[in-house]
Amino acid sequence: MKVRGIRGAITVDANEEQQILDATLEVLRAIVEENRVEPEDICSLFITVTQDLDATFPARAIRQMAGWELVPLMCSVEIPVKGGLEKCVRLMVLVNTDASQSEIRHVYLGDARKLRPDLTASGADVQS
């Protein structure tokens, strides 16, 4: 069994607590579903937000989920690169898995699809 990283990102419309919490859950649930992982499989989860999102800690949403109470979570602020995508929540989920790198399904939702067009169906331009 190996430790693999699963990336995910989503954007919100406004720096509002509920939008940030809802978006965090939406992208995490999509990652879990796409990769068929359970909280017990997760080593840790690292969450970043862009500097324009300071209404809440995204980890608060995850702490409310049944079975996720013991998963180590860490929040941080994304590097403020000029021209980078705004109002974005990013996740890096480290999981114990037998899946190969090519079997891992990364999830990019909303305008965050622009971050990795090679991993999304939209093929949008990369911004950061």
Side-chain angles (χ1 to χ4, degrees), residues 5-127:
I6 307 172
R7 289 293 317 266
I10 190 169
T11 51
V12 296
D13 294 327
N15 181 28
E16 295 176 2
E17 179 179 0
Q18 200 58 53
Q19 282 195 34
I20 294 167
L21 296 174
D22 290 347
T24 301
L25 290 179
E26 182 179 350
V27 71
L28 178 59
R29 287 180 176 139
I31 288 170
V32 167
E33 182 178 319
E34 287 288 321
N35 292 280
R36 297 172 304 280
V37 296
E38 300 291 329
E40 190 65 29
D41 300 328
I42 298 173
C43 302
S44 61
L45 200 159
F46 190 63
I47 308 157
T48 65
V49 294
T50 48
Q51 289 189 330
D52 51 5
L53 297 181
D54 61 4
T56 191
F57 293 102
R60 284 186 47 228
I62 300 167
R63 287 274 172 247
Q64 307 295 322
M65 296 172 60
W68 289 79
E69 302 86 359
L70 300 177
V71 174
L73 306 175
M74 175 72 69
C75 292
S76 184
V77 177
E78 193 70 30
I79 298 169
V81 175
K82 290 181 183 177
L85 187 61
E86 297 178 347
K87 295 183 181 75
C88 186
V89 178
R90 292 173 173 90
L91 277 63
M92 171 70 77
V93 184
L94 299 176
V95 299
N96 292 309
T97 181
D98 289 321
S100 68
Q101 287 282 21
S102 64
E103 294 173 308
I104 297 296
R105 298 291 170 244
H106 306 279
V107 176
Y108 293 85
L109 304 174
D111 284 344
R113 288 181 178 95
K114 298 173 185 176
L115 296 172
R116 291 296 307 263
D118 57 317
L119 299 178
T120 62
S122 69
D125 296 328
V126 175
Q127 283 199 3

